[in-house]
Amino acid sequence: MLLWPIGVTFFCNFVHMNFSSLTAISPVDGRYRQKTAALAPYFSEFGLIRYRVRIEIEYFLALSEEGIFQLPKSFSPVVLRRLYQEFSEEDAQVVKDIERETNHDVKAVEYFIKRQLKAIDAKDAEAAGEWIHFGLTSQDINNTAMPLLWKEAIEEVYLPSLLNVLSALKRMANDWMAVPMLARTHGQPASPTRLGKEIMVFAERLDNQIQQFSHVPYEAKFGGATGNFNAHVVAFPERDWVAFGNRFVDEKLGLERLQYTTQIAHYDNLAAQFDALKRINTIVIDLCRDIWTYISMEYFKQKTKAGEVGSSAMPHKVNPIDFENAEGNLGLANALYEHLSAKLPVSRLQRDLTDSTVLRNVGIPLAHSLIALQSLDKGLGKLILNETALDHDLEANWAVVAEAIQTILRREQYPRPYEALKALTRGKDGIDKKAIQEFVKGLEVSDKIKKELLAITPRNYIGVSY
């Protein structure tokens, strides 16, 4: 008797289930769906189809505005733009049904729009419909739709989330700017710093990278089958199609048209954006690890919530899970950005298809980044400063004022001050306030200098940073 594997039986039952977050393969659309839902209108199959419809309609209108053909009155810009402004999941499903026949996703969009024109005005649709997708190849649609949806997702979803974290960091830095903290270089006690200043380090780094990212243009390819407007020129040789393409992409879509391309965009600046986002993620990973360490050192406590548990076995645990979640998701995002930035600029001759399937995944690293930023923001909001722990570490490390003492002694031309402080402190235990003060009192310097040296403590030897 033939026995089916349990997995096969499960699959047969599974295919009859409705899709939900519980049945998603990727946690981006499953466990974390609530956190990533804002990206769905851009990067989902529905979103991509909607943007393709938008490009086709705007191109159709641009041709009419240029006098290439006369737009029938029934197809007003307001009416036509509703085709993408009010685009529904039902509309997307119609496109997918057409695609099953055409086996071509962009051609399916073209046919969908022609059907919609017939529904608006069957009399004028036949002639006007032939201007839909006139002279274009599918990549003129894809290589404008993708950068446009990418641009709008960045500006409308990702950057607000990143700037929200940045604002939180700046508030924390301002609140804690006067809080002294023992610094650690190589993991060892070092010259004291300010907690707020250490937070501000990350704020400045993020500020700088956001500025660099903002200077990378959102570019699009628009020029026909091999980038030369061949079909456009042969149909209307008297027209300046390069100028038209530039106006359409730059003014109508808010992108920048690449002037020399093959059938596809070369994606160099898109790759630069991926690299910039990867650097931003790397900075945030660095921040997460530092905050995680400060929590382990008890510089921060974390707010608790009734009903939550920190461990299935240890009731006392309050784990820094938000920072760990953020770090893990940022690592995943960076691995994907690394592949995207290395792969997309490479294509055989005038094109191969490898960019197509890869390009559909650009929303995935952004989704992981968004999950991370939300987790980080949540974690930062739970931090409670534990100044007692900071004070304890400063008091336990009086040796760090050795730098201050030897520097003043250098100013006073005291003989070999560095070596004297090295002999006192390096690798020595028990270097407390008393040991430092006894050393200072034994120096052959004026009472005025001794008073200056005795006033130095780990709490006030914090320099200046603003």
Side-chain angles (χ1 to χ4, degrees), residues 29 33 36-48 50 157:
D29 282 319
R33 178 65 179 182
T36 62
L39 293 175
Y42 308 91
F43 297 108
S44 63
E45 185 75 356
F46 163 82
L48 178 55
R50 182 171 65 91
V157 180

Side-chain angles (χ1 to χ4, degrees), residues 188-419:
Q188 306 302 308
S191 299
T193 184
R194 291 179 173 86
L195 174 58
K197 173 257 173 177
E198 298 308 315
I199 300 296
M200 198 61 202
V201 167
F202 291 100
E204 182 178 68
R205 292 172 70 186
L206 289 174
D207 257 333
N208 290 343
Q209 293 306 313
I210 291 170
Q211 287 298 316
Q212 287 190 34
F213 179 87
S214 70
H215 291 301
V216 182
Y218 294 89
E219 292 179 330
K221 177 267 175 182
F222 193 82
T226 56
N228 309 300
F229 287 105
N230 301 48
H232 295 78
V233 171
V234 77
F236 296 95
E238 74 283 359
R239 294 279 179 170
D240 187 345
W241 287 107
V242 171
F244 168 83
N246 290 340
R247 286 193 298 274
F248 175 64
V249 173
D250 296 13
E251 297 172 16
K252 297 290 186 182
L253 303 182
L255 305 170
E256 292 189 23
R257 180 179 170 270
L258 294 164
Q259 299 301 301
Y260 301 97
T261 69
T262 60
Q263 188 175 93
I264 63 174
H266 45 61
Y267 303 116
D268 295 337
N269 277 324
L270 183 59
Q273 290 180 330
F274 293 149
D275 288 337
L277 292 172
K278 191 173 70 172
R279 284 195 301 276
I280 289 171
N281 285 352
T282 298
I283 292 167
V284 179
I285 288 172
D286 197 21
L287 168 66
C288 288
R289 290 178 179 176
D290 275 12
I291 298 295
W292 187 97
T293 304
Y294 290 142
I295 291 172
S296 74
M297 295 160 60
E298 297 189 346
Y299 284 6
F300 293 118
K301 299 289 187 180
Q302 297 181 93
K303 296 175 184 176
T304 57
K305 185 177 179 181
E308 288 186 348
V309 297
S311 167
S312 63
M314 295 174 280
H316 70 284
K317 298 291 287 296
V318 184
N319 297 325
I321 56 172
D322 298 305
F323 303 99
E324 294 168 342
N325 177 282
E327 182 181 340
N329 276 286
L330 292 166
L332 278 170
N334 278 5
L336 290 167
Y337 281 139
E338 181 74 24
H339 176 69
L340 289 167
S341 65
K343 190 275 150 289
L344 285 174
V346 179
S347 184
R348 296 170 182 85
L349 303 181
Q350 280 64 57
R351 90 155 295 185
D352 62 40
L353 200 64
T354 55
D355 68 308
S356 178
T357 187
V358 172
L359 201 58
R360 286 175 176 272
N361 291 277
V362 297
I364 305 300
L366 202 66
H368 283 293
S369 299
L370 187 64
I371 293 166
L373 292 174
Q374 292 176 39
S375 293
L376 174 59
D377 187 55
K378 180 181 178 183
L380 293 175
K382 289 160 61 175
L383 294 179
I384 302 171
L385 181 62
N386 182 13
E387 291 194 64
T388 300
L390 276 76
D391 287 342
H392 179 272
D393 266 7
L394 288 167
E395 185 63 29
N397 287 279
W398 270 80
V400 297
V401 302
E403 178 193 40
I405 295 170
Q406 66 96 10
T407 302
I408 291 175
L409 292 177
R410 284 188 180 209
R411 183 194 72 193
E412 298 301 317
Q413 299 294 295
Y414 191 87
R416 296 173 61 80
Y418 176 87
E419 287 72 19

Side-chain angles (χ1 to χ4, degrees), residues 83 86-96 112 116:
L83 295 181
E86 299 176 4
F87 193 74
S88 66
E89 288 189 44
E90 290 75 17
D91 292 329
Q93 186 58 57
V94 172
V95 176
K96 295 302 290 183
F112 167 79
Q116 298 300 106

